Amino acid sequence: MSQTPPRPVRVRFAPSPTGYLHIGNARAALFNWLFARKYKGVFILRVEDTDQKRYVADAEQDCQDSLRWLGLNWDEGPDVGGSYGPYRQSERSELYRQWAGWLLDNGYAYRCNCTPERLAELRAQQEKSGAKRGYDRHCRDLDLGDDIGPHVVRFKMPLDGETMVDDMIRGPIVYQNADLEDLVLLKSDGLPTYHLANVVDDHLMSISHILRGDDWIATAPLHVQLYKAFGWEMPPIAHLPMILSPSGKGKLSKRDQAFEESGVKILVQVREYRQAGYLPEAVINFLTNVGWAFGDDREIFTPEEAMARFEIEDINPAGSKLPFEKLIWLNNQYIQMTAPDALAEKIKPYLEAAGLVVDMDKLRAITPYIQERLKLLSEAPEWLAFLFKHEITINDPKQLLQKKMDAESTLKALKASYDTLKGLDDFSHEKQEETMRALAVQMGLSAGQLFGTVRVATSGQPVSPPLFQSMAVLGKDVSLKRIQDAIRMLEDMDD
RNA sequence: GCCCCCAUCGUCUAGAGGCCCAGGACGUGGCCCUCUCAAGGCCAAAACGGGGGUUCGAAUCCCCCUGGGGGUACCA
């Protein structure tokens, strides 16, 4: 248990709109959000759109949609405003130019007009000769004059001494300044790199704690030095562990789209989880337990319960692969916990997407019986299409045959079922089951044999929701008609 | 190559010197239940990467090695 932070908590999630919201970024957002909510702080969405080359037009919208879907609402951001705006870096470029100028004026940075060609050549040489890589500081002490053409602004990294990054999760990390580089702060297009923008914004927006991806750890000393140069106090910082690819090769964020790995679908974008039929509550619960653990041996909990226990210091520094099989299990658990009528509403769009015309009364009636069977909402059509289609098709009459049964005995069973069911005034599943069980006994068939063939006859599938509940929803007329059709089919086959 | 981070069952994790011949969950196997498929119940197999220290005592602390990961861009 750690103490309440000394100052008002203001944390930010700062995605770059270069692609749709990535599940790894979503987890970073989640941890920030959990922390902000726990301490009654402010959760800020800041769009880091300073990379014009990789900009994707609808990425920002997708990011917002995905965060909202997950329930990670922000208090300040490009759409909702706030008193520290603007929240889109492209709208703050004048600010970065000013602060870059300040660094220049005060001797903390320098202009560099090395061409991309020279830089590429330099790199090639370094690689060939095995020398240390990175910019050779060619322009650092040059007097370039006023008219130097396209140029960047680089940070003047101290040449000796050391820089310490005090990570909340890992403790102090010490770098030798001699190993560090003079990285670019302002690009030749006048826009800042992450390094400059991030430090300027975090300070100007009064960010109290920085929670960001592990991949920033290597450039953290630059950020420390920038704060120092500006004379600003650096907020406590924590680097969140990476989400690794299940293939065991690299970080997951190198992949930008769903792929399959030994039979398991690996989803990468948050929107893919939504499409696949995961419940946002399940995804949140799942993500919370990767890199951090609820403790108490509990696997299922609400965000509020997680907040009560969440501490940055408890985050596991090791990277992890997403345990997808656990997510599927969790999703089913959440589906089971959902109130049936509410679940029916959630299922509906997936049925419609499959081209079915949904009768809500039927759907509500059957939902309680597929709840424990449904792993993903997107599987609903497989389970329920037969209820909403006028016609079902049985491709091969042999599918009607159950184990140890031939066409003749199946025909007999179907005819007897037909007569039995037809005689029922009460078509409730209880009544059906009672009489059909008696019929099975009477015919010397197992329940599995008799019910199985009726199942295929009425649903067209060997696997379906419970038979009598299904027929009750289907209605007596339709059920009987389908059995009748199956009987004809068998008779035709039997020539 | 150089710098940095990390290391408990297949996977996600609990464990902050004795409570651990290491606990939970998913997955896997078996049994039970059962109209199919599920769900549910019970049981089982399954891990402290290796080597040195420190200590009465190490999964827990230190060092080395190995392995994995990140960075090395006018991308974030």
Side-chain angles (χ1 to χ4, degrees), chain A residues 92-343:
Chain A
R92 302 168 66 83
S93 34
E94 193 46 44
L95 232 34
Y96 310 125
R97 256 193 296 270
Q98 278 171 19
W99 285 108
W102 188 92
L103 289 171
L104 243 18
D105 293 344
N106 289 275
Y108 291 111
Y110 61 96
R111 296 176 303 159
C112 163
N113 64 352
C114 289
T115 61
E117 291 73 33
R118 188 185 105 80
L119 262 20
E121 198 179 317
L122 180 67
R123 198 167 330 158
Q125 269 176 16
Q126 289 168 337
E127 229 159 294
K128 204 164 60 185
S129 67
K132 183 173 173 295
R133 269 152 244 204
Y135 182 57
D136 61 357
R137 296 180 161 133
H138 178 247
C139 297
R140 181 161 165 143
D141 299 310
L142 249 41
D143 184 10
L144 295 167
D146 287 334
D147 189 20
I148 62 170
H151 63 277
V152 300
V153 174
R154 287 181 184 273
F155 188 68
K156 210 181 265 184
M157 189 61 81
L159 268 11
D160 47 37
E162 45 191 39
T163 301
M164 196 264 280
V165 177
D166 196 8
D167 188 278
M168 281 187 274
I169 298 171
R170 298 154 239 266
I173 304 167
V174 177
Y175 294 82
Q176 296 306 313
N177 291 155
D179 292 328
L180 272 19
E181 287 188 59
D182 290 355
L183 291 176
V184 172
L185 300 177
L186 205 62
K187 298 181 272 188
S188 57
D189 64 3
L191 291 177
T193 58
Y194 171 87
H195 312 298
L196 212 218
N198 147 268
V199 169
V200 168
D201 285 349
D202 282 350
H203 179 256
L204 263 29
M205 293 182 178
S206 284
I207 297 303
S208 65
H209 301 260
I210 301 172
L211 280 186
R212 66 183 0 174
D214 203 328
D215 39 357
W216 291 115
I217 234 172
T219 44
L222 198 218
H223 307 146
V224 170
Q225 287 297 340
L226 270 169
Y227 276 97
K228 206 171 148 196
F230 282 130
W232 297 338
E233 188 193 343
M234 184 171 178
I237 189 165
H239 291 93
L240 270 16
M242 212 92 283
I243 303 257
L244 274 16
S245 172
S247 65
K249 278 280 156 229
K251 56 176 180 177
L252 187 64
S253 48
K254 280 192 175 147
R255 307 295 286 262
D256 57 2
Q257 226 166 36
F259 60 104
E260 202 160 313
E261 182 71 39
S262 55
V264 183
K265 267 237 173 227
I266 310 303
L267 305 183
V268 175
Q269 302 165 0
V270 171
R271 48 150 53 183
E272 292 169 341
Y273 288 77
R274 185 180 194 168
Q275 283 159 5
Y278 286 101
L279 261 22
E281 303 85 351
V283 176
I284 287 290
N285 193 145
F286 169 70
L287 250 24
T288 308
N289 249 348
V290 175
W292 182 80
F294 188 83
D296 206 22
D297 289 343
R298 270 181 71 187
E299 296 288 333
I300 298 176
F301 45 80
T302 64
E304 289 69 28
E305 290 172 317
M307 275 168 217
R309 293 163 172 257
F310 186 79
E311 294 296 349
I312 292 172
E313 292 81 357
D314 293 337
I315 293 171
N316 183 346
S320 44
K321 304 170 189 173
L322 293 179
F324 272 91
E325 273 153 346
K326 203 166 186 169
L327 172 60
I328 292 168
W329 168 79
L330 246 186
N331 203 51
N332 174 259
Q333 294 293 310
Y334 272 87
I335 286 174
Q336 292 194 57
M337 290 188 286
T338 306
D341 285 359
L343 182 59

Side-chain angles (χ1 to χ4, degrees), chain A residues 359-392:
Chain A
D359 174 333
M360 277 312 282
D361 288 335
K362 283 186 178 178
L363 180 55
R364 274 192 288 265
I366 201 70
T367 296
Y369 303 107
I370 61 161
Q371 249 176 300
E372 69 260 33
R373 290 159 232 268
L374 215 52
K375 308 280 190 199
L376 300 169
L377 297 180
S378 58
E379 290 170 350
E382 297 162 34
W383 285 99
L384 304 176
F386 76 96
L387 289 173
F388 302 106
K389 289 200 286 207
H390 292 300
E391 301 283 332
I392 54 165

